[in-house]
Amino acid sequence: MNSPRSILFIAFLVVSFFLFQTWMVDTAPGTQAPSNTTSTSTTSNSDSTVPEPQGSVPGDSSVPDGDSPVAKTNTGQLVEVKTDVLDIVIDAKGGDIVSAKLLEFAQSLDSEQRFQLLQREPGNLYIAQSGLIGPDGIDSSGGRAEFSVEKTEYVMENGTLEVPLTYQKADGTVVKKIFSFKQGQYDVGVRYEILNNANEAQQLQFYGQLQQTMTAGEGGSMIMPTYFGAAYSHDDDKFEKYDFEDMQDQRLNVSTQTGWVSMLEHYFVSAWIPTQQQDNRLFSRVADNSQAIIGVIYPMEQINAGETAVIESTIYLGPKDQDSMAALVENLDLTVDYGFLWWLAQPIFKLLQFLQSLVLNWGLAIILTTVVVKAALFPLTKAQYVSMAKMRMLQPKMTAMRERYGSDRQKMSQAMMKLYKEEKVNPLGGCLPMLLQLPIFLALYWVLLESVELRHSEFVFWIQDLSTKDPYYILPILMGASMFLMQKLQPTPTADPMQQKLFQYMPVIFTVFFLWFPSGLVLYWLVSNLITIAQMLIIYKGLEKKGINVRGK
């Protein structure tokens, strides 16, 4: 999950909301509310190279210092590649991806500018590097291979596209670095074809790494907590966040046959996905105290004289689309971070996705999802209200017992347990349904917060982006009014005056909090309140027909 403060804040809101609902029933007149990863090691950041005896990964010498511009000597010929969803720039020096725009996503609402995922700007570096290191590699800390290119512009026309870069070593060995693209896909194939024309065997290793300025992104706020940093997956851990502070404290060094490394921001992800049938090594380091680097190194490859070897990997540059990422590699879809409730949130998201496919509007899908969830929870809601009503009916008897037994707590407790048994009342019946509902509501919160599908998705009229706050604050005000109406359905309680005032101000407090919430979340909460009001009226009517005085009238 995200920061503890954010988790506690959201949990506070949800728990407060449930307590608010419970209190309205329970405090009516006459009621008195009763990982071990052995393959992981760390090293000091003072070591400037990744702990690999056969060679070091380049990076430090090519990283610009602080806010200084990128040196021209570090830039080769630039190759622009356009598909239907990607517009990327490849630097022929090293064959790194130094820019990536996502053509299906605007930088901001109604903007013509496309969302920029990767970039190489002064003071803001975020690039995807790859190369060949080792005794006979073509990349090192001292310099990168300068590839020759056939063209400087490529445009996809027939559903697939390959962009070749070629480098020839002094010994005659030919290295081709080929980028492969497919229509509608954000995963890019990176393939090395090495023809060893030397007279002896050559040894080299593939590496892929993501490099980002640590101060370039945002981590959200307490009201809308989002993660900005690195993450990885390996044999013993499906998904592990690895923020920049952790990266500065200790370096990653994990041997694994499965997994990937990535950089995350709210709705988007870049990830190196190695082949999954060999012992790869995940690593990290911090360069120049400002550049976070996380990557993967393949095992040493030996290519005999006259032979050709092919080394492949994949780089994903795109939105957190769960279906696409899950199809690409195991556990990459977990970058859509639902925290410890992922097992519950994922089915809820599938329901939301299915309903959207029917109504073609994410706002309507949120409404329908809320209806389905509240309908599924209705038996629990009814049990909660019925239990509270029965507890209220026992209040006169409980008051008499208090007067009878006075300060003898043991006899009082025994008498109350006997009374509960005779009347077939569970004293926890009002709280248990609330606790069972809490994980579902928290999971719904994270689904609506994390889903890239809501980004720049309109609902109706003034709501043009469900992922941002209501520009006119209409939904939060309506939500507050619905809480006030729920309160009014109960008579004024004869409870402690301070407690009474606190809960009277609850609708106002929640309205203020929700002014900055994404409108999709506020819409969900408003609909949930309206359904709760309808359920309250239905349950009350049924109980009153049975002669149970629900509201103390």
Side-chain angles (χ1 to χ4, degrees), residues 104-393:
E104 296 291 312
F105 296 88
Q107 187 71 30
S108 58
L109 185 63
D110 297 328
S111 171
E112 292 295 325
Q113 186 178 359
R114 299 296 87 188
F115 181 80
Q116 183 108 27
L117 181 62
L118 301 186
Q119 57 191 326
R120 186 168 60 180
E121 299 294 338
N124 188 2
L125 183 73
Y126 184 9
I127 60 177
Q129 296 177 300
S130 57
L132 298 175
I133 57 174
D136 301 296
I138 61 175
D139 299 288
S140 68
S141 296
R144 308 293 305 283
E146 183 76 49
F147 289 93
S148 61
V149 297
E150 298 175 1
K151 298 189 297 183
T152 57
E153 290 185 8
Y154 289 83
V155 179
M156 178 180 288
E157 296 178 349
N158 300 315
T160 61
L161 176 64
E162 286 200 341
V163 178
L165 288 70
T166 305
Y167 176 78
Q168 184 166 340
K169 296 174 62 176
D171 61 11
T173 298
V174 177
V175 178
K176 285 189 176 181
K177 186 174 187 178
I178 303 169
F179 292 87
S180 302
F181 302 85
K182 295 180 181 179
Q183 185 174 4
Q185 296 187 12
Y186 293 95
D187 52 295
V188 180
V190 181
R191 182 173 82 251
Y192 279 90
E193 296 179 356
I194 306 109
L195 173 59
N196 183 4
N197 289 326
N199 295 324
E200 56 186 19
Q202 298 198 19
Q203 290 185 318
L204 44 79
Q205 291 174 281
F206 168 85
Y207 82 93
Q209 67 183 27
L210 298 163
Q211 190 168 324
Q212 184 172 21
T213 304
M214 290 188 288
T215 57
E218 298 179 357
S221 62
M222 183 174 289
I223 291 178
M224 190 175 172
T226 58
Y227 178 73
F228 172 75
Y232 61 90
S233 174
H234 60 91
D235 293 340
D236 299 321
D237 199 335
K238 293 181 178 180
F239 174 70
E240 183 69 29
K241 285 182 178 178
Y242 186 48
D243 63 35
F244 295 147
E245 289 184 3
D246 290 339
M247 198 176 293
Q248 288 177 309
D249 292 337
Q250 61 182 25
R251 296 174 61 179
L252 176 66
N253 182 22
V254 178
S255 179
T256 178
Q257 285 192 338
T258 63
W260 39 262
V261 294
S262 67
M263 290 287 189
L264 310 180
E265 51 189 279
H266 190 184
Y267 293 120
F268 304 97
V269 57
S270 63
W272 274 110
I273 305 166
T275 55
Q276 307 284 297
Q277 297 86 28
Q278 59 190 14
D279 287 323
N280 303 311
R281 189 166 58 83
L282 312 183
F283 69 89
S284 74
R285 71 173 180 280
V286 174
D288 296 338
N289 295 319
S290 64
Q291 305 296 326
I293 299 172
I294 188 168
V296 59
I297 299 178
Y298 283 14
M300 189 68 70
E301 181 99 10
Q302 179 165 311
I303 309 172
N304 294 327
E307 291 184 354
T308 299
V310 177
I311 302 175
E312 297 181 295
S313 188
T314 301
I315 177 75
Y316 181 87
L317 305 168
K320 292 181 180 178
D321 184 305
Q322 294 185 61
D323 294 335
S324 298
M325 293 190 295
L328 190 60
V329 66
E330 189 176 10
N331 300 324
L332 187 59
D333 57 322
L334 296 182
T335 55
V336 181
D337 183 24
Y338 298 140
F340 68 94
L341 292 174
W342 62 268
W343 52 273
L344 183 59
Q346 286 186 342
I348 291 175
F349 173 75
K350 292 296 183 183
L351 173 63
L352 180 68
Q353 195 176 40
F354 169 73
L355 293 173
Q356 192 277 337
S357 69
L358 299 179
V359 297
L360 304 179
N361 183 293
W362 285 102
L364 292 177
I366 291 172
I367 293 175
L368 292 177
T369 299
T370 310
V371 171
V372 171
V373 171
K374 292 291 288 184
L377 294 175
F378 181 72
L380 289 176
T381 304
K382 184 177 180 181
Q384 178 182 357
Y385 282 84
V386 170
S387 178
M388 290 177 178
K390 288 182 178 180
M391 287 291 293
R392 183 175 298 111
M393 292 179 65

Side-chain angles (χ1 to χ4, degrees), residues 426-456:
N426 182 359
L428 298 178
C431 299
L432 187 59
M434 180 187 74
L435 294 177
L436 292 175
Q437 294 177 61
L438 180 58
I440 296 175
F441 279 83
L442 282 173
L444 262 171
Y445 172 86
W446 288 109
V447 166
L448 297 178
L449 180 66
E450 283 286 302
S451 299
V452 67
E453 289 80 2
L454 298 184
R455 184 180 187 268
H456 298 171

